[in-house]
């Protein structure tokens, strides 16, 4: 699949979900996942300071909402997404001028478009929909970040996911459908813990690798959350895998 087709399929898939996306993830389990991610994000932004946050695959604005509710930093926010529909849903929820939204594939955003960003984030597997080799993606992101003190939080689909193994084995590239949808799919790249650590070391990053827990997408019952949270700092077999550096 060439880059043009990849981008077209991403745009078509996420546009098709844009009006229903927030409702799809309006559940007690998703709320707990959001709290887990918020707790990891908050320490990455110094309290009470002015910070520029860049989100890749920002969707309908959940990442911005989590930061606004769970940090005291003065956030200047830029969100990038390939889907006009997702960005329209984001814009409807926020005042004009509150955020900056860019409709473009991450792959096509120029290397010199941003500088001195305090936090680059791609939440809930958004980094898996960027068609760049992992080391090239990190190189691009590091070029946008503040050289000293910049942080990143990148979430990917896990190549060793037990949930996806019956259909896809451990293939690095798959066709992925969000867990509450059927039919249409988007191309996605998957990585293992070893892949993320190898790429981080190549760029001199000390990375922490975690997940959203082994039961996400498999056994999303309230009584199972405590066990899921207990195991969320580990990655074998999990649906997602997150790099924090």
């Amino acid at each position: 699949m060439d880059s043009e087709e990849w981008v077209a399929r991403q745009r078509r898939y996420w546009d098709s979900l844009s009006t229903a996306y927030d409702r799809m993830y309006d559940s007690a389990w998703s709320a707990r996942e959001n709290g887990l991610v918020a707790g990891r994000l908050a320490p990455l932004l110094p309290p009470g300071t002015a910070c520029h946050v860049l989100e890749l695959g920002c969707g309908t604005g959940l990442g911005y909402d989590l930061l606004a509710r769970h940090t005291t930093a003065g956030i200047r926010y830029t969100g990038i997404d390939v889907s006009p529909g997702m960005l329209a849903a984001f814009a409807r929820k926020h005042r004009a001028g509150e955020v900056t939204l860019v409709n473009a594939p991450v792959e096509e955003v120029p290397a010199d478009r941003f500088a001195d960003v305090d936090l680059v984030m791609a939440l809930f597997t958004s980094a898996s929909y960027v068609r760049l080799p992992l080391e090239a993606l990190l190189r691009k992101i590091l070029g946008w970040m503040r050289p000293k003190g910049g942080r990143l939080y990148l979430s990917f689909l896990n190549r060793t996911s037990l949930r996806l193994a019956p259909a896809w084995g451990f293939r690095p590239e798959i066709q992925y459908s969000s867990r509450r949808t059927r039919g249409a799919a988007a191309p996605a790249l998957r990585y293992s813990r070893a892949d993320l650590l190898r790429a981080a070391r190549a760029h001199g990053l000390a990375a922490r690798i975690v997940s959203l827990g082994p039961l996400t997408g498999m056994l999303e019952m309230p009584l199972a959350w405590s066990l899921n949270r207990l195991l969320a700092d580990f990655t074998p077999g999990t649906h997602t895998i997150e790099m924090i550096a």
Side-chain angles (χ1 to χ4, degrees), residues 171-184:
R171 298 180 206 172
E173 183 173 333
I174 66 170
Q175 300 298 312
Y176 179 71
S177 296
S178 294
R179 63 181 181 265
R180 291 176 175 86
T181 64
R182 293 181 179 178

Side-chain angles (χ1 to χ4, degrees), residues 211-226:
S211 76
L212 293 184
L215 303 181
T216 286
M218 296 181 68
L219 186 64
E220 296 186 356
M221 301 170 58
L223 292 177
W225 176 258
S226 294

Side-chain angles (χ1 to χ4, degrees), residues 33-152:
E33 286 183 340
N34 296 346
L36 173 58
V37 171
R40 290 169 174 169
L41 285 173
L44 305 182
L45 295 175
T49 60
C51 297
H52 184 191
V53 175
L54 175 63
E55 183 170 11
L56 314 181
C58 63
T60 64
L62 175 58
Y64 176 72
D65 292 340
L66 293 179
L67 291 176
R69 290 198 299 266
H70 294 277
T71 71
T72 60
I75 296 170
R76 178 165 62 93
Y77 175 93
T78 303
I80 301 173
D81 204 285
V82 70
S83 165
M86 287 287 191
L87 293 181
F90 192 145
R92 285 193 292 271
K93 296 190 291 185
H94 297 281
R95 299 187 307 273
E98 184 179 348
V99 298
T100 299
L101 301 178
V102 179
N103 181 207
V106 171
E107 302 91 318
E108 296 177 11
V109 177
D112 60 355
R113 175 70 183 268
F114 304 105
D116 294 327
V117 175
D118 296 282
L119 170 65
V120 177
M121 62 185 193
L123 307 181
F124 301 106
T125 72
S126 291
S128 273
Y129 309 111
V130 180
R131 193 175 187 266
L132 286 174
L134 183 55
E135 288 193 21
L137 175 61
L138 286 180
R139 188 180 310 114
K140 190 166 202 174
I141 289 171
L142 291 171
W144 291 334
M145 285 168 48
R146 186 156 51 90
K148 293 185 178 180
R151 306 299 300 271
L152 61 82

